[in-house]
Amino acid sequence: MHEALKLNLELEGYEVSSAYDGVAALKAIQSEYFDLLILDVMLPEIDGINITETVRLQNIEVPILILSAKNTSADRVLGLKKGADDYLTKPFNLEELTLRVQKLIEKNKKLQDRSLIGDTYSFGKNTVDFKAQEAVTKNGEKVQLSRKESMLLKLLIENKNEVVPREKILQSVWGYNVYPTTRTIDNFILNFRKYFEDDSRNPKYFHSVRGVGYKYAE
């Protein structure tokens, strides 16, 4: 079924990367960009439900379509609760699958066009170049950003005016099994205030929300 599905999607014009177990799938997800993930629940090593949960904790908003032989309402609800966008039970109609794939990819592209920022972003008197990992601050001073500073800054700005939970920051910036202390993230926020705020003690842009996470506001 794996090979048949891959072949049929390629015949529809899609570029397909495939993995035969959950560990390989997660490695691919963390190193490549995808418009859609199709996950079998019964994958070896790490199952499709756990992969879905991990992907969402890492703040990866790629659409996920779960395929499963488990067809009870409880199974479908679990998949959707963990972050899947769609759930299709086996056996399935190939035309129905390709239509669902098409709809999910179209929806994702619309969301990406609306929410993603480019390589540079300006706010107030500040400009950030994410590709070069540097910023020009309110005083015209050029600051070299670390990779993690750049990643955190982009994550917060892409979620403008929304609180980003600490767990999502830990997963998307520091990685799957690395858990820095809250103070580590606080220190990054303090640096951002020093670089970009007119008054670091009364921040306009970078806020800590006690017990929840962090927010960029504009």
Side-chain angles (χ1 to χ4, degrees), residues 95-111:
E95 186 177 2
E96 180 184 0
L97 173 72
T98 54
L99 281 171
R100 291 188 187 214
V101 166
Q102 180 185 347
K103 294 294 184 185
L104 286 170
I105 289 177
E106 286 175 355
K107 180 181 177 182
N108 183 44
K109 285 186 174 177
K110 287 177 183 176
L111 290 172

Side-chain angles (χ1 to χ4, degrees), residues 4-41:
L5 186 55
K6 183 174 184 292
L7 175 61
N8 278 280
L9 288 170
E10 287 173 340
L11 289 173
E12 291 289 326
Y14 297 110
E15 182 181 346
V16 182
S17 293
S18 65
Y20 288 89
D21 63 69
V23 173
L26 270 180
K27 284 182 180 177
I29 292 164
Q30 290 164 349
S31 62
E32 302 176 52
Y33 172 81
F34 293 98
D35 292 305
L36 173 70
L37 303 180
I38 301 175
L39 296 173
D40 196 302
V41 168

Side-chain angles (χ1 to χ4, degrees), residues 2-217:
H2 182 119
E3 292 302 322
L5 186 55
K6 183 174 184 292
L7 175 61
N8 278 280
L9 288 170
E10 287 173 340
L11 289 173
E12 291 289 326
Y14 297 110
E15 182 181 346
V16 182
S17 293
S18 65
Y20 288 89
D21 63 69
V23 173
L26 270 180
K27 284 182 180 177
I29 292 164
Q30 290 164 349
S31 62
E32 302 176 52
Y33 172 81
F34 293 98
D35 292 305
L36 173 70
L37 303 180
I38 301 175
L39 296 173
D40 196 302
V41 168
M42 302 302 287
L43 281 172
E45 304 289 344
I46 304 174
D47 66 45
I49 298 295
N50 280 323
I51 291 174
T52 299
E53 186 174 28
T54 300
V55 165
R56 293 302 180 230
L57 280 171
Q58 292 178 334
N59 201 35
I60 301 172
E61 299 300 331
V62 59
I64 296 174
L65 169 60
I66 285 182
L67 300 181
S68 178
K70 298 181 176 182
N71 60 5
T72 69
S73 59
D75 291 318
R76 289 194 294 273
V77 167
L78 177 62
L80 296 170
K81 274 187 174 180
K82 294 298 184 180
D85 297 272
D86 204 351
Y87 192 106
L88 189 60
T89 56
K90 305 174 192 174
F92 52 82
N93 180 285
L94 186 60
E95 186 177 2
E96 180 184 0
L97 173 72
T98 54
L99 281 171
R100 291 188 187 214
V101 166
Q102 180 185 347
K103 294 294 184 185
L104 286 170
I105 289 177
E106 286 175 355
K107 180 181 177 182
N108 183 44
K109 285 186 174 177
K110 287 177 183 176
L111 290 172
Q112 292 294 324
D113 289 343
R114 189 167 69 241
S115 65
L116 285 185
I117 59 176
D119 290 335
T120 61
Y121 185 84
S122 296
F123 57 100
K125 298 177 182 178
N126 309 288
T127 300
V128 181
D129 186 328
F130 297 103
K131 198 169 184 180
Q133 290 182 201
E134 62 183 27
V136 178
T137 72
K138 59 189 182 298
N139 301 321
E141 179 185 353
K142 186 176 284 189
V143 175
Q144 192 66 44
L145 302 170
S146 71
R147 181 171 176 270
K148 284 188 168 50
E149 281 181 323
S150 183
M151 289 171 69
L152 177 55
L153 197 54
K154 191 168 190 178
L155 175 64
L156 292 173
I157 290 172
E158 285 182 342
N159 291 275
K160 181 171 66 175
N161 298 322
E162 296 180 7
V163 179
V164 181
R166 178 175 175 268
E167 289 77 15
K168 283 195 174 184
I169 292 173
L170 295 177
Q171 295 290 356
S172 59
V173 178
W174 273 270
Y176 181 50
N177 284 322
V178 181
Y179 293 91
T181 65
T182 302
R183 184 172 294 278
T184 303
I185 305 175
D186 284 337
N187 287 338
F188 276 61
I189 298 297
L190 289 174
N191 284 341
F192 294 162
R193 290 173 181 167
K194 183 174 67 177
Y195 299 154
F196 305 120
E197 302 280 6
D198 289 326
D199 181 355
S200 60
R201 293 188 177 184
N202 295 289
K204 175 182 178 182
Y205 302 112
F206 298 95
H207 305 272
S208 300
V209 181
R210 186 180 295 276
V212 183
Y214 303 84
K215 179 174 74 170
Y216 168 79

